[in-house]
Amino acid sequence: MMRRAINHAAGNGHAAGNATASQREWLLHMAQLPVPRVYDELNAHAGGLAPHEVEVSRELWGPNVVAHADRKPRPIRLLLAFSDPLTYILVLIAAVSVLTDWIFASADSRDLTTPAIIGVMVLVSGVMRFVQEERSGDAAESLAEMIETTCCVLREGPGRTDIPLDEVVVGDVVNLSSGDIVPADLRIVHARDLFVSQSSLTGEPEPVEKVADAGLVGTGPGADAASDVRNLAFMGSTVISGTARGVVVATGARTLFGEATSLLGTARRQTAADEGVSRTSVLLVRLMMAMVPVVLLVSGMTKGDWLSSLLFSLSVAVGLTPEMLPMLVSGCLGKGALDLSRAHVIVKRLGAIQDLGAIDILCTDKTGTLTQDSVVLERHLDVDGNEDVSVLNWAFMNSFFGTGMRNLIDSAIIRRAIEEGARGGGPTGADEIATSWQLVDELPFDFERRRVSVVVGDERGNTVMVTKGAMEEVLALCSQYELSGERHAITPDVGRAVMERAAALGDEGMRVLGVAVREEPAGAGTLAADDECDMTLIGYLAFLDPPKASAAEAVRALAQNGVTTKVLTGDSARVTTYVCGKMGLPVDGVLTGAEVDAMDDAELAERAQRTSVFAKLSPTQKARVVQGLRSLGHAVGYMGDGVNDAAAMRASDCGISVDSAVDVAREAADIILLEKDLMVLERGIMCGRRTYANMAKYVKMTVSSNFGNVISVLVAATFLPFLPMTAVQLLLLNLIYDLTCTAIPWDNVDDELVLSPRRWDGTSMRAFMLRMGPVSSVFDVITFAALFAWICPAVAGGAWGSLDASGRALFVSTFQAGWFVESMWTQTLVVHLVRTARVPFVQSHAAWSITLLGASGIVLATLLPATAVGGALGFAPMPTAYFVFLACVVAGYVASALFARRAYLLRHHSLL
Ligand SMILES: Nc1ncnc2c1ncn2[C@@H]1O[C@H](COP(=O)(O)OP(=O)(O)OP(=O)(O)O)[C@@H](O)[C@H]1O
């Protein structure tokens, strides 16, 4: 038997994108065996693996890691750093110049300077990109490692122990309960009302029930799908309710959906920030497609040199692409993630920082997020509202014997019952209860029923079902109530009085649960939701979970910064309204789960926008509300910590959770708060906005100055008898400029630029480009005119028409050097005008690194024409008179750009 397992282990060494036939066969084989045979074949035991067996298994089957598609091996990353349009065009130009300057050149004029210079440019841009990307990639990876998901396994020696998911091996016995992530493919050996969501594998949102019976294999016509097999649970699925024990039959790449699914589940939809970046890219591609052919035609027809014109127009295309954008975006995000980690906020998906900065609506659950997570049982009352210890006793039984998700409510009940017991009131402790009663069956909590039932039996064979849950739901099950040992029918008046009493407690901020019993319910193993009927209401439990001190302050700070907070909870409207009141959150209408269900998507979206509190929501309803708000164009963040929040987090632009949340919530979240202080969230949002501001700065200024350059090039190509810059010169200008931009992630951002949510906006990008670009063109054209009519004739010794070939060559070199230097000055200065709406350098100054790099770029570009390298690049040294002229042009440009910026601000109100 063991041989078969070894064969399977050895024969499946390849990564599994989709389950191969032999993997499926193996899983089906495991599903069909009786449990003892499963253990035998895996060389495992019900009591767990011994340490040496763990090692053997890991050696045989490999570790439980799924290849991460996100980060490729380092050599590939290095290669990829060199694969971008700038490099391609540089290599093309190098190839052409090897042909023209070497292969087809006469022996005495052979010269490889141009390809050598291009080689250096390729190297510099590639290495720079690689270093930047490595830095942000490493930062993201080390942050991700701080968030570790564990699972509970049974091992010989330590017994039940929590280990990281990747340490699970084949043969391990795993315990599952609500909120867990299934760590590997498991054969279920014991299950109690286990419902799992396989949506990350099958896309099917409805939870499916899993059981231990070997007979229940392969259901329905689609039974080929191994995911249908009911006694197997698969890696990446999540436990919605119930408990189970399973033995691991496949790990890592050998799991059913191994490589295809990351543990995060379904592929994320496009978030607001993703959409913004792709809209900006589309704008640029359109611009390029419109401009480049025109440049080619105009310069080709006027100059007649089609090869140079082609290379030149390709360089214009490269110049138009902010090819550093991906690198700058990851640089900005990596920097943002590090800043946030210092504020104890861990970013799991780097892009989420932008999304955080973009959100204008924050949806949050209530329990544990807005409240302190210190649930205290305040009162246990009979139906008339008098303290009654028997209500506590029954509730204790329910909480103590329930094996499903035990939450803070259950802990509070158990704690209180033990305290009362010590005072001689209630049960005296777990030992006594455990000896006099035994668990017979149970119906665990789920978010639709909102209650838990357990059936307990005593030595004499009496059984009783105890149910506790949301007041309305429990009352609906009861036909009678018990008061002072007597039972009475529940009339509509009694029902109303009960709900009024619960509502009054709710108004005091107390969460109310009902407790009911039923004698001799269905037998062990057959208990179903239908049996929860004809019950006797015993009384209520009232819990206090005070709002967090930081919540009110955070809600206020968020509102001041343009973020509206909405509360989406499974709890009742009264308690939620009370908590909102305490936090100073205005309650503009309440929508309940039932009302949400009655609306279609459009109506829900519209109502959701006007509503601040949503009560008694199921997980799917929470997700629907989030989707509705997003459909109206809002960027929505969702913050929660429970199983019932995961779907809404995935549906949001940015899922936020806390480190103490259940695994499912932590996995679904993009951002994890290590501290439960909500003010940290506000800091995170600000950091997201600053990150956005720096990215937008780069895109806006680069796009507008490149746009300006293209207009200038068109003018030059039409009126000049030569190209205003060669392809290599243009690319070099581009490269030096990009180098000066590498410090942008570290730039300071003015406070007024982060006062409201920030998101990519194609319209403002276009408007900025159309307004600022032409300003720089005007000064370019003035420069062209001065160079052509004054500076170049002075240097070359006469007007263009009067010069011989060498005179014309000097004329062209001087002209090109002149424009190169002027372009560098204006492009570099523009960053100081775009980064602030204040007076640059005086009221707001850039980070010193930006100023330093910009100044170095200017110095380099200004000195280059006078050097040997400049000569090789086709530049001639500029005369002193030119610099006097340049100073006037730069001053004129800055003044006009400030004016254009003011006009833009008047119309668009915000610069970035
Ligand atoms: N352990 C439990 N036993 C019985 N009933 C419970 C238990 N836990 C929750 N409930 C009931 O189910 C309701 C819904 O719970 P759910 O977890 O969806 O939301 P919540 O915890 O109240 O709030 P939030 O959505 O803000 O986290 C609760 O308001 C409560 O009435």
Side-chain angles (χ1 to χ4, degrees):
M1 273 182 284
M2 188 58 189
R3 196 161 358 106
R4 180 166 181 159
I6 291 173
N7 283 344
H8 178 71
N12 264 309
H14 52 272
N18 290 312
T20 61
S22 86
Q23 280 167 315
R24 201 171 297 132
E25 190 196 313
W26 168 251
L27 288 171
L28 291 178
H29 168 67
M30 281 289 134
Q32 275 153 350
L33 291 181
V35 173
R37 294 257 321 270
V38 173
Y39 282 122
D40 274 357
E41 282 223 8
L42 299 170
N43 221 13
H45 341 274
L49 296 175
H52 69 276
E53 289 170 327
V54 171
E55 290 315 315
V56 171
S57 175
R58 188 169 294 129
E59 208 133 283
L60 187 63
W61 300 80
N64 189 29
V65 278
V66 172
H68 247 293
D70 314 13
R71 219 165 175 211
K72 302 195 165 56
R74 194 178 286 257
I76 307 273
R77 297 201 299 266
L78 182 63
L79 271 182
L80 285 178
F82 284 90
S83 90
D84 78 320
L86 174 76
T87 315
Y88 300 151
I89 301 212
L90 282 171
V91 169
L92 182 72
I93 297 174
V96 171
S97 63
V98 167
L99 286 179
T100 53
D101 298 356
W102 187 266
I103 297 181
F104 297 118
S106 57
D108 55 337
S109 66
R110 282 186 178 160
D111 177 18
L112 283 182
T113 320
T114 312
I117 291 175
I118 295 178
V120 172
M121 285 167 65
V122 168
L123 208 69
V124 169
S125 78
V127 167
M128 190 175 73
R129 190 170 300 114
F130 177 69
V131 170
Q132 275 270 27
E133 267 162 17
E134 283 302 284
R135 257 213 317 230
S136 40
D138 288 349
E141 230 168 45
S142 62
L143 290 176
E145 277 164 17
M146 290 174 73
I147 301 293
E148 192 171 60
T149 308
T150 58
C151 66
C152 174
V153 296
L154 198 62
R155 292 242 172 114
E156 202 186 294
R160 281 168 78 112
T161 165
D162 285 335
I163 59 168
L165 295 192
D166 55 2
E167 286 180 17
V168 170
V169 297
V170 170
D172 260 332
V173 177
V174 176
N175 290 312
L176 295 177
S177 61
S178 173
D180 285 350
I181 286 176
V182 179
D185 287 357
L186 307 178
R187 163 66 202 272
I188 311 278
V189 295
H190 173 80
R192 197 181 270 278
D193 304 295
L194 176 70
F195 282 85
V196 299
S197 162
Q198 304 192 133
S199 65
S200 57
L201 317 178
T202 61
E204 186 54 57
E206 286 307 310
V208 285
E209 186 170 11
K210 295 281 174 176
V211 293
D213 279 309
L216 295 168
V217 161
T219 55
D224 168 52
S227 56
D228 276 358
V229 179
R230 295 186 60 195
N231 60 9
L232 296 177
F234 303 98
M235 179 194 234
S237 23
T238 53
V239 181
I240 300 298
S241 62
T243 54
R245 180 166 284 195
V247 54
V248 176
V249 295
T251 50
R254 291 191 190 88
T255 54
L256 184 57
F257 292 91
E259 202 177 56
T261 51
S262 77
L263 285 183
L264 258 183
T266 43
R268 281 193 78 93
R269 70 269 160 267
Q270 275 224 327
T271 66
D274 297 335
E275 280 164 21
V277 173
S278 57
R279 264 203 307 271
T280 311
S281 312
V282 168
L283 168 75
L284 292 167
V285 168
R286 283 211 193 121
L287 187 71
M288 203 160 73
M289 301 228 297
M291 296 302 245
V292 171
V294 181
V295 173
L296 174 64
L297 277 182
V298 172
S299 63
M301 277 178 351
T302 50
K303 303 329 152 249
D305 180 355
W306 285 94
L307 179 64
S308 303
S309 302
L310 177 68
L311 293 181
F312 181 71
S313 52
L314 285 178
S315 315
V316 170
V318 172
L320 255 186
T321 340
E323 66 280 340
M324 298 280 277
L325 181 63
M327 196 198 86
L328 235 117
V329 167
S330 51
C332 285
L333 296 176
K335 159 82 172 45
L338 279 177
D339 286 353
L340 280 177
S341 72
R342 274 182 222 117
H344 301 278
V345 176
I346 300 302
V347 179
K348 283 175 51 196
R349 180 177 60 87
L350 270 190
I353 299 182
Q354 295 186 72
D355 297 315
L356 197 59
I359 60 176
D360 61 339
I361 294 183
L362 175 72
C363 294
T364 161
D365 76 336
K366 172 180 71 70
T367 314
T369 310
L370 297 180
T371 59
Q372 281 177 11
D373 239 5
S374 56
V375 179
V376 177
L377 175 56
E378 282 285 309
R379 295 185 205 165
H380 37 87
L381 309 171
D382 67 14
V383 176
D384 252 0
N386 305 312
E387 290 283 328
D388 181 351
V389 86
S390 71
V391 180
L392 179 62
N393 289 353
W394 288 118
F396 175 72
M397 233 170 240
N398 175 289
S399 292
F400 180 76
F401 284 108
T403 61
M405 174 179 72
R406 198 178 263 178
N407 60 16
L408 291 170
I409 291 187
D410 297 295
S411 314
I413 293 172
I414 293 174
R415 210 171 38 239
R416 179 68 191 268
I418 292 173
E419 281 165 18
E420 287 281 326
R423 274 189 249 141
T428 49
D431 288 347
E432 190 187 313
I433 299 286
T435 47
S436 42
W437 293 93
Q438 263 183 348
L439 179 66
V440 177
D441 203 352
E442 69 180 319
L443 275 178
F445 179 80
D446 72 58
F447 297 104
E448 303 293 336
R449 285 170 40 254
R450 297 198 178 91
R451 54 181 184 258
V452 181
S453 291
V454 300
V455 177
V456 284
D458 65 10
E459 290 128 19
R460 279 166 286 149
N462 301 322
T463 59
V464 57
M465 175 165 76
V466 190
T467 302
K468 78 168 186 330
M471 193 63 232
E472 210 173 337
E473 276 72 4
V474 170
L475 181 64
L477 309 175
C478 298
S479 53
Q480 47 189 346
Y481 66 97
E482 190 177 293
L483 199 59
S484 314
E486 283 180 28
R487 295 198 172 182
H488 313 273
I490 297 187
T491 59
D493 282 346
V494 173
R496 248 190 316 277
V498 166
M499 284 316 293
E500 270 165 25
R501 200 155 285 135
L505 290 166
D507 289 341
E508 289 175 50
M510 286 195 231
R511 170 196 289 229
V512 183
L513 295 194
V515 182
V517 297
R518 177 179 170 179
E519 283 83 16
E520 307 304 327
T526 60
L527 187 67
D530 291 348
D531 300 313
E532 293 177 317
C533 64
D534 206 12
M535 299 191 75
T536 303
L537 184 66
I538 298 293
Y540 347 91
L541 305 164
F543 301 84
L544 257 190
D545 183 11
K548 275 186 192 151
S550 66
E553 199 187 341
V555 167
R556 208 173 324 116
L558 288 173
Q560 272 163 8
N561 290 303
V563 181
T564 313
T565 306
K566 295 184 188 289
V567 182
L568 275 60
T569 177
D571 205 352
S572 76
R574 299 279 185 132
V575 186
T576 315
T577 310
Y578 172 86
V579 172
C580 290
K582 283 276 169 206
M583 289 186 328
L585 188 73
V587 178
D588 306 327
V590 179
L591 271 185
T592 63
E595 288 166 329
V596 164
D597 266 351
M599 291 179 204
D600 64 19
D601 289 347
E603 190 186 352
L604 173 61
E606 200 274 322
R607 284 290 298 279
Q609 199 168 224
R610 292 188 278 124
T611 307
S612 58
V613 170
F614 301 78
K616 299 196 84 169
L617 294 189
S618 70
T620 347
Q621 290 161 345
K622 288 185 175 189
R624 264 193 81 203
V625 171
V626 170
Q627 271 154 359
L629 291 168
R630 290 189 70 218
S631 72
L632 295 182
H634 292 287
V636 183
Y638 188 95
M639 176 148 112
D641 62 352
V643 185
N644 55 347
D645 299 312
M649 275 188 212
R650 289 211 181 91
S652 70
D653 289 290
C654 182
I656 305 153
S657 195
V658 287
D659 200 27
S660 55
V662 295
D663 292 348
V664 178
R666 291 191 331 154
E667 285 295 335
D670 303 303
I671 304 252
I672 306 272
L673 311 183
L674 294 184
E675 273 172 30
K676 284 195 158 184
D677 177 2
L678 289 181
M679 281 308 283
V680 164
L681 183 63
E682 194 255 349
R683 257 185 281 162
I685 290 179
M686 288 313 186
C687 174
R689 290 181 188 174
R690 270 194 297 276
T691 308
Y692 163 83
N694 281 337
M695 284 188 295
K697 195 180 288 179
Y698 170 76
V699 176
K700 279 196 170 168
M701 67 186 193
T702 308
V703 169
S704 57
S705 51
N706 286 349
F707 177 62
N709 276 353
V710 174
I711 302 177
S712 312
V713 161
L714 272 179
V715 173
T718 316
F719 296 105
L720 289 177
F722 49 85
L723 289 173
M725 241 191 259
T726 65
V728 181
Q729 291 166 354
L730 197 64
L731 292 173
L732 178 65
L733 177 72
N734 206 36
L735 182 70
I736 300 180
Y737 169 73
D738 279 344
L739 277 170
T740 66
C741 290
T742 48
I744 283 185
W746 284 265
D747 193 19
N748 314 320
V749 177
D750 293 345
D751 289 345
E752 61 269 22
L753 292 175
V754 291
L755 273 184
S756 56
R758 295 272 138 205
R759 63 198 294 181
W760 293 87
D761 170 10
T763 329
S764 90
M765 204 77 77
R766 199 166 31 238
F768 192 85
M769 177 182 93
L770 293 176
R771 213 171 278 260
M772 300 297 277
V775 176
S776 74
S777 303
V778 168
F779 287 87
D780 282 345
V781 173
I782 294 175
T783 309
F784 291 163
L787 284 168
F788 195 80
W790 168 39
I791 308 276
C792 296
V795 172
W800 174 259
S802 67
L803 294 173
D804 59 6
S806 67
R808 285 189 169 186
L810 181 59
F811 192 105
V812 172
S813 301
T814 311
F815 188 99
Q816 291 176 335
W819 191 39
F820 180 83
V821 175
E822 187 260 355
S823 288
M824 193 65 213
W825 274 84
T826 50
Q827 279 198 16
T828 309
L829 284 175
V830 85
V831 65
H832 296 279
L833 307 177
V834 170
R835 55 170 299 284
T836 176
R838 307 179 192 173
V839 180
F841 301 110
V842 182
Q843 291 176 332
S844 165
H845 43 84
W848 65 266
S849 47
I850 298 219
T851 316
L852 193 73
L853 273 179
S856 314
I858 286 181
V859 170
L860 179 69
T862 312
L863 296 181
L864 188 70
T867 64
V869 179
L873 281 163
F875 290 132
M878 299 306 291
T880 321
Y882 174 73
F883 293 104
V884 177
F885 164 77
L886 181 66
C888 301
V889 165
V890 168
Y893 170 70
V894 169
S896 322
L898 282 174
F899 188 72
R901 188 186 75 176
R902 218 179 113 80
Y904 173 87
L905 269 172
L906 281 178
R907 183 106 191 239
H908 293 271
H909 309 295
S910 176
L911 203 55
L912 295 176

